[in-house]
Amino acid sequence: RGRKRALLIGINYFGTDAELSGFRKINDVHNIKDFLITLYGFQEQDMVILTDDQENPKMIPTRANIIAAMQWLVNDAQENDSGHGGFIKDESGDENDGYDETIYPVDHDQYEGTSGQIIDDDMHDLLVRPLPEGCRLTAIFDSCHSGTALDLPYTYSTKGTIKEQNMFKEAGSGLLEAGLAYAMGNREGAISSLMALGKQLMNSRDTDEENRENNSSAADVVMFSGCKDDQTSADAQEAGKATGAMSYAFTTTLRENPNQSYQELLNSVRDILRDKYSQRPQMNCSHPIDVNMKFVC
């Protein structure tokens, strides 16, 4: 049995235009903390908790403190150890949608441009790349545009299969554009649209293959995110408290039934959210997994 560590970060952005209502993220942290202690045997002394309602400056979720805490989480990780936004233009070419997913530290606006944000490429380098085979990291991102926040190369569907880039969907819109151009007598425009479509499909395939080559890991890393990359994560009001909808759904279903497989858990979270919210939680992994295995944290 290995060591367990947990890093919990909740930012309410107090006193700013982006302030969240009702201590939402602070409540999420307290909920997850209790969840990890009571259901999975984590110890409070093995947790680092960063929230922007604390007086200790080292416990404020600034950019520097978040990076230091991420480094602490994976430092000297060994086999059997376990641990527990926004978007900007992608500069490295590893994103199909052309944007890097990010998190916003409490002091992000004190940096020039977007440099105060922590991008998914950096979070992958901080949290995933240092982990050895046999080490497990479970990550939960209940933040906007968080679908691929750790740049893990395998995304699973609710049917338990690995999702592939939807080339047929992309092809459909491109063919429609080419067809409309041809129908209007614009032969050159139709040819141009078809050539652009072919280039887009090839680039998309190359990006997927490159991500799997570069971002796979022998460590067992599984991330649950609150939504897809192009969606936002909703606020919720549950039991009289403000909370993140995905955080609430995740902990609620596991408290009710802790003996769920990874596939069952993804479906359970989506089922809880389906009637009230449009967001679609995602499950990403560092390598292919048996989704029928029991979820462990």
Side-chain angles (χ1 to χ4, degrees), residues 12 42 44 52 74 98 106 118 145 161 174-175 199 244 247:
N12 241 72
F42 280 71
E44 188 169 359
D52 53 347
V74 301
V106 69
I118 303 176
H145 313 293
T161 58
L175 289 173
K199 182 178 180 181
S247 298

Side-chain angles (χ1 to χ4, degrees), residues 183-219:
M184 296 175 65
N186 185 358
R187 184 171 178 273
E188 290 185 359
I191 294 174
S192 177
S193 294
L194 288 173
M195 291 179 64
L197 172 62
K199 182 178 180 181
Q200 179 183 2
L201 294 179
M202 289 296 293
N203 287 342
S204 179
R205 186 190 68 180
D206 291 345
T207 298
D208 283 347
E209 291 177 352
E210 185 176 344
N211 284 345
R212 288 181 179 176
E213 181 178 345
N214 295 336
N215 292 343
S216 293
S217 170

Side-chain angles (χ1 to χ4, degrees), residues 216-266:
S216 293
S217 170
D220 302 320
V221 184
V222 179
M223 185 192 82
F224 289 88
S225 59
C227 58
K228 299 171 72 173
D229 282 340
D230 61 353
Q231 295 179 322
T232 57
S233 279
D235 293 333
Q237 193 75 20
E238 302 291 347
K241 288 186 177 181
T243 182
M246 191 274 184
S247 298
Y248 170 79
F250 189 89
T251 55
T252 296
T253 187
L254 282 170
R255 288 183 193 275
E256 293 175 351
N257 177 17
N259 296 312
Q260 300 187 59
S261 69
Y262 282 89
Q263 182 183 352
E264 289 170 338
L265 177 56
L266 177 61

Side-chain angles (χ1 to χ4, degrees), residues 264-276:
E264 289 170 338
L265 177 56
L266 177 61
N267 278 281
S268 295
V269 171
R270 284 201 176 185
D271 288 344
I272 291 173
L273 298 179
R274 181 173 290 114
D275 291 339
K276 291 184 180 180

Side-chain angles (χ1 to χ4, degrees), residues 154-164 263 266 283 291:
Y154 297 93
T155 301
Y156 278 87
S157 72
T158 52
K159 295 180 180 180
T161 58
I162 295 172
K163 291 183 178 181
E164 302 295 341
Q263 182 183 352
L266 177 61
M283 184 176 76
V291 295

